[in-house]
Amino acid sequence: FLTVDPLLGGDDALRSLLDAAHGRGMRVVLDGVFNHTGRGFWPFHHVLETGASSPYRHWFHFDQAALDAGRPVLAYPGAERRNDAGGAAGPAGSGAEGGSSFERLGYRAWWDLPALPKVNTDDPAAREYLLNVAEHWIRFGIDGWRLDVPEEIADEGFWQEFRRRVKAINPDAYVVGEIWHLAPDWLRGDRFDAVMNYPLAEAILSYAGAGHFDEPLLRSHHEYGPRVQPIDGPGFATRLREVMSAYDPAVVAVQLNLLDSHDSPRFHSLVRGDRASYRLALLLQMTLPGAPCIYYGDEIGLEGGLDPDCRRAFPTDRSAWDNDVLEFVRAATALRHAEPALRRGSFAVVGAAGGGIAVERRLDAGRFVVALNNGDSPATVRVALADAAGCRLVALPLPGATLPDGLSVDEHGDVDIVVPPRSGGVFALK
């Protein structure tokens, strides 16, 4: 695993990574944080060292009056700091102290954390530097950008210019933003290609994990807590239609579909290690429109709570891996790769009842029905398939899948599928 700070460089390390990845048909997308930097970033340190005379004083949101008055910037507060009474002031910079970072430290910091000074993208020089960084790495050979907290850059036109300059170098570069809600205004073709599809993740978790949540962990998360509630098949069908219809189909097809991330508890912990929940979720992720994203370690059952516990190191000891989970992930991803309709086909909910739901993916002659049941008893789902009278549903092999095989579609295009409890699978329409 390799981490590269695109603001600081790292050309040799990234070149080796790119060469290895591209040689294997892989693509590399860098994580770009253009809203804030580390306090070790050289322009910030130049201001710390030279004060008001630094040409970079406007690159950040410094207290300009304090700089002019020669007052020091408190970029590295600590326990050694003394209060006015001469006693120990205690740990500083946690964001929990009174006053904003601007008042306490002399500059605006992201979430008031001293280590993360916020960039002033209204400053022409700072703005141009960031856009040059975006261009540099695209020319270097990366295949796209994942952009951190883009909504916090209020500079009008920044992301539009970012897109124009990146796409001018590589029109196929993938530009995806970290936005946690439905955001159609960001995906109209002038800013991002996609966003991280957290609304879909919340819907999948609500359905696949229903009845198995670690409630204290789930409710403690700032985004999932209020939004994830148990839902049945019809409820999930409603959520799916909302998410899939929020954007143009071409946008839906490239949304970054994830189940969890470095900013959320891991899926396996949220469902208290229930493997059936994960199989349902992973099957949905691999058969719905969009670009599936597997957060490292999920494929072997890695657990983790709130940040930073969700960023645990990957276990190199294979005895700690859940090989049954890994086998299912491999099979589901292989199925997606093998069938173009599961990647690029049209999408429709074709049935939902009780804990059951069925969706159809269709591309040219390829037609597939994905059927799932999150309930503890069998679910009978009446599936309506246009232009399919007389066809048969052939169950495709997946580890643990026990769907009935050889079901016949009647003259009206209907077929009843009895989906076993806590399971799912894929049919090919023949």
Side-chain angles (χ1 to χ4, degrees):
F1 297 95
L2 175 66
T3 299
V4 177
D5 186 334
L7 294 181
L8 298 179
D11 290 31
D12 292 341
L14 187 57
R15 171 57 64 197
S16 297
L17 174 64
L18 281 172
D19 289 346
H22 289 162
R24 292 167 173 79
M26 299 172 62
R27 298 293 180 263
V28 175
V29 176
L30 282 192
D31 185 7
V33 187
F34 295 101
N35 175 71
H36 51 275
T37 74
R39 58 190 162 193
F41 187 36
W42 59 267
F44 186 79
H45 249 268
H46 195 276
V47 180
L48 298 187
E49 294 168 356
T50 62
S53 65
S54 174
Y56 308 110
R57 59 182 291 179
H58 295 291
W59 280 38
F60 304 89
H61 298 271
F62 284 107
D63 184 337
Q64 300 294 330
L67 284 180
D68 289 333
R71 293 199 292 273
V73 175
L74 190 62
Y76 293 87
E80 72 282 2
R81 203 160 46 88
R82 314 297 289 181
N83 62 21
D84 292 340
S94 65
E97 293 182 312
S100 68
S101 56
F102 188 85
E103 297 167 335
R104 293 186 293 107
L105 310 175
Y107 60 93
R108 187 183 302 170
W110 186 67
W111 282 30
D112 290 334
L113 298 170
L116 301 174
K118 180 174 172 61
V119 180
N120 178 19
T121 54
D122 287 328
D123 180 78
R127 177 190 180 110
E128 185 62 22
Y129 181 89
L130 296 178
L131 293 171
N132 282 336
V133 167
E135 292 177 314
H136 167 79
W137 290 111
I138 293 292
R139 289 193 184 97
F140 194 83
I142 70 165
D143 303 287
W145 285 103
R146 178 268 185 192
L147 299 164
D148 193 68
V149 294
E151 292 177 294
E152 298 194 28
I153 294 182
D155 179 7
E156 183 66 30
F158 178 85
W159 292 119
Q160 286 87 345
E161 186 174 1
F162 183 99
R163 179 183 182 85
R164 286 194 299 271
R165 290 171 66 160
V166 164
K167 295 287 188 175
I169 300 168
N170 179 5
D172 294 327
Y174 184 51
V175 182
V176 56
E178 183 214 3
I179 296 180
W180 286 69
H181 54 83
L182 294 177
D185 288 345
W186 287 79
L187 299 176
R188 299 194 188 280
D190 63 339
R191 283 179 274 187
F192 300 153
D193 298 315
V195 295
M196 299 178 73
N197 205 350
Y198 281 106
L200 179 62
E202 292 161 357
I204 290 176
L205 178 59
S206 295
Y207 174 72
H212 297 270
F213 295 139
D214 181 330
E215 287 287 343
L217 177 60
L218 175 61
R219 303 306 161 201
S220 64
H221 189 259
H222 63 290
E223 296 287 346
Y224 286 179
R227 297 178 181 176
V228 174
Q229 302 291 338
I231 53 177
D232 60 7
F236 184 50
T238 297
R239 295 278 292 276
L240 272 183
R241 291 187 179 104
E242 291 172 351
V243 172
M244 296 296 172
S245 65
Y247 309 101
D248 185 274
V251 172
V252 173
V254 297
Q255 287 283 75
L256 189 67
N257 292 350
L258 66 162
L259 297 179
D260 56 22
S261 73
H262 63 290
D263 287 323
S264 70
R266 286 187 174 270
F267 189 96
H268 291 291
S269 290
L270 287 168
V271 298
R272 297 178 297 172
D274 182 66
R275 298 309 195 220
S277 294
Y278 182 69
R279 287 193 295 272
L280 289 171
L282 193 280
L283 183 59
L284 285 163
Q285 189 186 32
M286 292 301 157
T287 57
L288 290 175
C293 175
I294 300 176
Y295 185 42
Y296 78 92
D298 282 359
E299 73 278 12
I300 50 92
L302 188 61
E303 297 188 353
L306 294 172
D307 187 4
D309 190 39
C310 55
R311 309 184 191 207
R312 292 183 192 181
F314 187 91
T316 56
D317 181 0
R318 288 177 176 262
S319 67
W321 298 9
D322 187 322
N323 290 305
D324 290 337
V325 169
L326 181 58
E327 180 187 12
F328 187 84
V329 171
R330 285 173 169 164
T333 55
L335 178 60
R336 181 182 179 87
H337 281 290
E339 302 296 348
L342 297 180
R343 303 193 305 275
R344 303 191 302 272
S346 62
F347 161 86
V349 176
V350 291
I357 185 170
V359 302
E360 182 184 17
R361 302 298 310 278
R362 184 174 184 175
L363 180 67
D364 300 326
R367 298 183 69 175
F368 298 87
V369 174
V370 185
L372 307 98
N373 176 16
N374 74 343
D376 294 323
S377 58
T380 300
V381 182
R382 170 61 61 93
V383 174
L385 299 169
D387 307 319
C391 293
R392 298 175 71 248
L393 295 181
V394 178
L396 301 182
L398 278 174
T402 56
L403 290 178
D405 195 14
L407 299 176
S408 296
V409 182
D410 67 21
E411 67 274 16
H412 304 294
D414 297 332
V415 58
D416 287 334
I417 302 176
V418 180
V419 188
R422 309 285 299 154
S423 69
V426 181
F427 294 99
L429 196 63
K430 301 293 186 179

